[in-house]
Amino acid sequence: MAANFTPPIPPTATVHMAVQPLSYLLGTWRGQGEGSFPTISPFNYTEELKFSHSPNKPVIAYSSKTWKLNTNQPMHSESGYWRPQIDGTIEVVIAQSTGLVEVQKGRFDAEQRIVKLKSALVGNASKVKEITRVFEMGNGELSYVVEMATNLMELQPHLKASLKKL
Ligand code: HEM
């Protein structure tokens, strides 16, 4: 490229209309969670969640990293994209560090600051049949509950966590 190339002036940075109702999520969150399921030993973890946004794109990029509480050993991580629509529906795609992929569909309520998701597709999973995720903002904290159903167990909680924005 020529040394005197001048890049085009970027468009004014704005949050896309579809993302605005969920813009309270944008940023980095840290907190703690606990995991359980009838077939495993309960565990505690710390987590960092990131929601970011490219100006004028109707998408929120999402990532989560977790560490074992006390030892800080890395645990599960995942990343994906949240695709809200102006009608209050939302589609979320997530790739997990275990190889599992999921497409979640659901709805959000901008006033209540709640997002409810249910898997429309779970792929490349040996045990998991269904996943639901509910995210809720309240008292300055973002909390979520993840439930899953496996080949042996009906839908029930696997994770719950509470995080604060950095
Ligand atoms: C176990 C799925 C997120 C930590 C499991 C099992 C499944 C699973 C299928 C095995 C259950 C069984 O054998 O009956 C998922 C799904 C997740 C998720 C679908 C996200 C939607 C996480 C996260 C962590 C985590 C975020 C850590 C912070 C564990 C641990 C076990 C486990 C420690 C027990 C492993 C063992 O005892 O071998 N998970 N998991 N999982 N999960 Fe998750």
Side-chain angles (χ1 to χ4, degrees), residues 85-151:
Q85 307 291 314
I86 51 174
D87 65 358
T89 60
I90 181 166
E91 180 183 287
V92 176
V93 294
I94 296 176
Q96 299 192 6
S97 53
T98 54
L100 182 152
V101 292
E102 57 189 295
V103 176
Q104 296 272 346
K105 295 199 177 182
R107 300 196 64 85
F108 60 89
D109 182 326
E111 271 182 23
Q112 301 290 320
R113 297 196 162 180
I114 185 160
V115 184
K116 289 186 180 174
L117 303 168
K118 176 176 158 40
S119 54
L121 179 152
V122 174
N124 202 32
S126 55
K127 296 181 178 174
V128 182
K129 297 293 173 203
E130 188 183 352
I131 302 167
T132 63
R133 298 175 181 250
V134 177
F135 290 78
E136 207 166 355
M137 260 294 285
N139 299 326
E141 297 213 335
L142 179 66
S143 57
Y144 70 77
V145 174
V146 173
E147 297 199 342
M148 69 177 174
T150 63
N151 51 343

Side-chain angles (χ1 to χ4, degrees), residues 33 35 37-47 64-68 75-78 94 96 98 100 102 104 122 126-128 130-133 144 146-153 158-159:
F37 209 64
T39 45
I40 64 172
S41 303
F43 57 93
N44 295 289
Y45 60 95
T46 54
E47 178 167 35
S64 156
K65 281 187 178 177
T66 58
W67 295 264
K68 202 172 161 74
M75 292 182 90
H76 179 107
S77 65
E78 59 185 38
I94 296 176
Q96 299 192 6
T98 54
L100 182 152
E102 57 189 295
Q104 296 272 346
V122 174
S126 55
K127 296 181 178 174
V128 182
E130 188 183 352
I131 302 167
T132 63
R133 298 175 181 250
Y144 70 77
V146 173
E147 297 199 342
M148 69 177 174
T150 63
N151 51 343
L152 298 177
M153 296 288 157
H158 181 37
L159 309 165

